[in-house]
Amino acid sequence: MSDQQKPLPVPTAETRVYWEGCRRHELLLQRCRACGRLQFYPRAVCATCLAEDLEWAKSSGRGTVYSYSVVYRPPSNAFASDVPYVTAIVELEEGVRMMSNVVDCPPDAVRIGMPVSVTFDDAGDDIALPKFRPS
Amino acid sequence: MSCSRSVAIVGIGEVDPRPVPGRTSLALNALATKAALADAGLRKEDIDGVLTGYSLVEPYGMYSSVLCEYLGIQPRYNAEITVGGATPCTMVCHAAAAIVAGLADTVLVAWGDNRASGASRDAIVSRVVDVAGHPQFEHPYGVLIASLYALIAQRHMHEYCTTPEQLARVAVTCREHALLNEYALMRQPITVSDVLRSKPIATPLHMLDCCLVSDYGGAVIVTSAERARDRRQQPVHIAGMGEGHTHEHISQAPSLTTSGAKRSGELAFRMAGMRPSDVDVVELYDCFTITVLVELEDLGFVEKGAAGPFVESGAIDLGGSLPLNTYGGMLSAVNGGIFHIIEAVRQLRGEAGPRQVAGARTALVHNEGGILSTNATLILTGD
């Protein structure tokens, strides 16, 4: 099934390394060398202390569902054949949160607090999207 | 230095929201402006400051300048404010600041867009999430505005045992109030059961948990308290105002259940020298039913987590202790936070007719935008 019409991320100079990591099926987070805080999404500066001295750290990919919603009315036709699908904010065990989908799970089985781990959806155009499945 | 009661709203105007083929975004702003000027007993030559929002249908790059040109106004203060749904209350804050600073004497605040006449519902649903969801880190996952707010509702239910019935009650109450408003778009009563049986959009939100997509055109005129004394209508003073902003994208929010409304409310009450118990009527931004629950809590009307039982008790009904969205809100009357302001002014003037809250002297109006991202609170007094 073609995903070509779905909106795919367009990497920018500051997110390029993140998306390259996804292509390798690695979930990368930024760590600030000045204050030690981890952040997502990647930026040119640390959102805690504004330092520009940032490095990349590989996430374990494990986390829990912080919140979720099963979508019945998609934002566009591109997602129509996926309905119903689960959108979720996942809290990684490193303490940062990110938006994603919960996959490989009946939508009505998803629960807040459910342990999940990352899996990558090779979506095309050199983009792999990190998604989460029950662990 | 405080702005409290230095500035007043002296004119309100709105356009019938029923769609008209070919009606433009600018026309809606212009006609609302004309109505507000007539209400204030002012001419357009009296306006020296103009604030507008933006359009999702006809997105001019400098919307406020285009409206000034369209109306034949050449102001000394002019800006487009773009904070999503919080824009109307935020514009009033900016107008007050401009007047107190001496940058303008009489400011037009206009908010209008032809989201029904000018675009399909699918186009609007898609454009709204284009501006509110993150293009790299949210859009690829198939989010829409309703699903982003649904994450808030789901978490609120998890943390506080809020029920779908309590969410639905917000919609039912707004509908009851809309039936007393001849300009409200929705004309049929609904029950909690109707809401829960309406089409699921993104769990736990159903179609009737979601606000209308409609045309809208509303305007208010703001001037100094001193100038307001000479105007046609009883001035409605701005006793307090405040803003609070904690994030833009919901996946970055520090909390899914407490928003910047906590800060905007505290600032507004502090400026006004008032507390929640002083408020007679509230007009709270109701893009979704869950939004109202979070606002009731964050603005201090109930403890965090207690808004579900509060609305279920009937407290927000016209006959209740805190009548809410007395004109029907965005859930049942018309889209847009400007109408929360307009209704509050009507209530404080004693002009709300069958939906008048007896003796209303203090109103709180709250607008929020994005996904609980931006927040602005006004406390208005009628004396």
Side-chain angles (χ1 to χ4, degrees):
Chain A
M1 190 197 80
S2 168
D3 285 356
Q4 273 160 3
Q5 290 173 303
K6 288 182 178 172
L8 289 181
V10 177
T12 61
E14 59 197 32
T15 65
R16 182 181 49 81
V17 172
Y18 170 81
W19 289 115
E20 285 168 355
C22 287
R23 209 158 59 235
R24 295 192 306 272
H25 292 194
E26 287 180 356
L27 187 62
L28 299 178
L29 303 175
Q30 269 181 332
R31 182 189 294 121
C32 175
R33 285 199 191 96
C35 75
R37 295 293 294 268
L38 282 171
Q39 66 183 13
F40 184 80
Y41 50 78
R43 298 154 161 85
V45 295
C46 172
T48 301
C49 74
L50 296 186
E52 294 165 85
D53 191 10
L54 301 160
E55 63 185 356
W56 295 96
K58 191 170 164 205
S59 165
S60 70
R62 287 188 299 269
T64 56
V65 172
Y66 189 71
S67 191
Y68 71 96
S69 178
V70 182
V71 176
Y72 286 88
R73 198 268 191 229
S76 69
N77 285 339
F79 291 93
S81 58
D82 296 341
V83 168
Y85 57 89
V86 182
T87 57
I89 293 177
V90 171
E91 185 164 75
L92 297 172
E93 63 182 22
E94 291 89 1
V96 297
R97 295 184 195 145
M98 60 186 291
M99 184 74 74
S100 191
N101 296 127
V102 177
V103 295
D104 301 340
C105 178
D108 57 14
V110 178
R111 293 287 178 271
I112 288 178
M114 192 168 99
V116 290
S117 54
V118 74
T119 177
F120 288 87
D121 173 6
D122 293 315
D125 280 3
D126 290 337
I127 290 290
L129 292 171
K131 298 190 179 181
F132 291 83
R133 59 154 69 111
S135 46
Chain B
M1 172 178 117
S2 170
C3 286
S4 183
R5 298 172 177 82
S6 305
V7 171
I9 296 173
V10 294
I12 53 175
E14 54 191 315
V15 181
D16 185 325
R18 282 170 293 185
V20 172
R23 180 158 68 182
T24 67
S25 179
L26 288 169
L28 284 159
N29 279 278
L31 295 172
T33 298
K34 185 176 174 188
L37 287 168
D39 182 63
L42 288 169
R43 305 161 311 143
K44 72 180 174 84
E45 289 72 23
D46 298 315
I47 299 295
D48 63 350
V50 174
L51 293 168
T52 73
Y54 50 91
S55 170
L56 287 188
V57 180
E58 300 159 21
Y60 295 96
M62 295 165 66
Y63 198 88
S64 62
S65 297
V66 178
L67 183 66
C68 291
E69 171 184 87
Y70 196 86
L71 290 170
I73 293 177
Q74 296 179 325
R76 58 179 172 121
Y77 182 80
N78 159 36
E80 172 191 313
I81 306 295
T82 315
V83 282
T87 301
C89 280
T90 303
M91 288 194 281
V92 172
C93 295
H94 282 258
I99 291 163
V100 169
L103 301 176
D105 290 336
T106 303
V107 181
L108 165 68
V109 167
W111 181 244
D113 207 9
N114 55 334
R115 293 187 186 184
S117 296
S120 69
R121 190 186 181 93
D122 282 350
I124 294 298
V125 168
S126 158
R127 282 179 215 174
V128 171
V129 76
D130 281 350
V131 304
H134 197 293
Q136 289 184 68
F137 301 109
E138 293 183 341
H139 288 167
Y141 302 105
V143 301
L144 64 164
I145 298 291
S147 79
L148 298 173
Y149 275 87
L151 296 170
I152 295 164
Q154 197 75 256
R155 186 78 200 180
H156 202 276
M157 291 164 77
H158 173 81
E159 291 190 27
Y160 307 114
C161 301
T162 300
T163 66
E165 290 78 8
Q166 289 163 346
L167 290 173
R169 185 59 187 270
V170 175
V172 168
T173 298
C174 287
R175 182 63 62 96
E176 279 168 6
H177 298 168
L179 301 182
L180 300 170
N181 174 6
E182 59 180 318
Y183 295 113
L185 285 169
M186 304 312 280
R187 315 282 342 149
Q188 298 299 317
I190 55 173
T191 63
V192 165
S193 175
D194 291 333
V195 178
L196 299 182
R197 284 198 316 250
S198 65
K199 196 171 98 139
I201 303 297
T203 62
L205 299 178
H206 312 80
M207 173 71 93
L208 291 176
D209 284 300
C210 306
C211 69
L212 306 173
V213 173
S214 74
D215 281 5
Y216 56 90
V220 301
I221 313 258
V222 187
T223 194
S224 67
E226 197 179 308
R227 253 178 237 103
R229 286 203 285 264
D230 299 331
R231 300 270 47 85
R232 245 181 111 227
Q233 304 286 3
Q234 171 207 332
V236 167
H237 291 93
I238 299 169
M241 35 183 202
E243 297 183 26
H245 314 283
T246 57
H247 63 276
E248 170 59 18
H249 302 103
I250 195 61
S251 52
Q252 297 284 305
S255 166
L256 286 189
T257 51
T258 296
S259 74
K262 186 164 192 300
R263 187 159 188 218
S264 67
E266 282 167 359
L267 289 169
F269 279 116
R270 188 183 316 156
M271 184 186 286
M274 290 181 162
R275 14 178 101 115
S277 55
D278 295 319
V279 177
D280 301 310
V281 58
V282 286
E283 310 293 337
L284 304 185
Y285 199 79
D286 51 337
C287 47
F288 298 93
T289 49
I290 181 63
T291 316
V292 171
L293 297 194
V294 173
E295 288 163 341
L296 282 166
E297 293 165 358
D298 289 351
L299 293 166
F301 293 107
V302 292
E303 293 295 310
K304 177 49 69 180
F310 183 71
V311 309
E312 203 165 44
S313 75
I316 60 168
D317 299 348
L318 263 173
S321 59
L322 191 69
L324 177 142
N325 294 5
T326 50
Y327 67 107
M330 290 163 59
L331 285 166
S332 279
V334 55
N335 191 292
I338 193 88
F339 304 102
H340 298 75
I341 303 171
I342 288 171
E343 174 72 0
V345 170
R346 285 213 168 91
Q347 287 283 349
L348 297 175
R349 286 180 183 175
E351 291 173 359
R355 52 188 202 268
Q356 180 66 49
V357 173
R361 291 175 57 208
T362 303
L364 182 145
V365 184
H366 186 84
N367 286 173
E368 61 90 26
I371 318 295
L372 288 192
S373 314
T374 51
N375 291 274
T377 307
L378 301 174
I379 297 175
L380 305 178
T381 53
D383 55 14

